[in-house]
Amino acid sequence: MTLLNIENLTIAFGGLKAVDNFEIKIDGHELVGLIGPNGAGKTTVFNMLTGVYLPSAGKIELNGINVVGMNPNDIVKIGAARTFQNIRLFGALTVLENIKIAYHNELDYGILATILRTKKYWQQEKKANEECLKILRFFDMEQYADLLASNLPYGKQRKLEIARALATSPKLLLLDEPAAGMNPQETEELMATINLIKKEFDIAILLIEHDMKLVMGICERIVCIDYGKIIAAGTPEHIRTNPAVIKAYLGE
């Protein structure tokens, strides 16, 4: 079943087309890579998919719903969650609090219950703590629950951002350069983590990444764009030897 269907997606900034007729379909359990040189338009695709940018043209259907023009928070409720190139954690909050912020859609109490600290409030808060600790346990980070997010090592901060995205119960997880700044050991751990997420959380993943070892090692399909246009799509084996991809990265 098609979870994400993007057709003829286009956006222009000042007359320059940053993304031009981009198309992709992703099934409910696929792990797909989106690659291309710096400035190719990869993150711009993510920004349109998540409601940060409004496309100039095209269609984005998530779980059968056209999300073009929707607010980012509404798109999260439909089932898309993302991470960012530059880590965007709440550094002054604890690791657990960062996860709980993303879990708020699952809570069922209002402002009055919060002010009065009703029984329902405490029941919901207990449930939130338990569920968010489960997510941290999955990432082997439960021991950091009470640590400020800003005090985590870099690799753990990357993991926390992915964990926070998963707390929204997404159907589609968008990872924007999750291995950026990681050393080889951290990248290996990340590869294992992404594979485990796909298996245990039963979701689709769309991954932007420059680390070709990671992309080739875990993605089932890869789409390559350059100057906002798709220049190649197929299996890792096909992409690895594709002349257009080699030219885009290395030149003629």
Side-chain angles (χ1 to χ4, degrees), residues 124-141:
Q124 292 282 305
E125 281 295 304
K126 181 181 178 182
K127 178 186 175 183
N129 278 330
E130 290 171 350
E131 294 300 319
C132 292
L133 282 171
K134 282 182 185 178
I135 294 173
L136 287 177
R137 201 172 299 126
F138 176 84
F139 283 89
D140 194 24
M141 291 180 61

Side-chain angles (χ1 to χ4, degrees), residues 27-82:
D27 292 338
H29 306 94
E30 283 194 288
L31 204 171
V32 181
L34 179 60
I35 66 171
N38 287 328
K42 303 180 298 296
T43 297
T44 303
V45 170
F46 271 26
N47 285 339
M48 287 188 284
L49 206 167
T50 54
V52 178
Y53 293 160
L54 181 66
S56 305
K59 178 173 71 173
I60 305 172
E61 287 185 347
L62 177 63
N63 207 29
I65 300 171
N66 183 9
V67 300
V68 173
M70 284 189 177
N71 293 323
N73 58 301
D74 292 324
I75 295 174
V76 169
K77 291 177 182 177
I78 292 171
R82 71 175 294 183

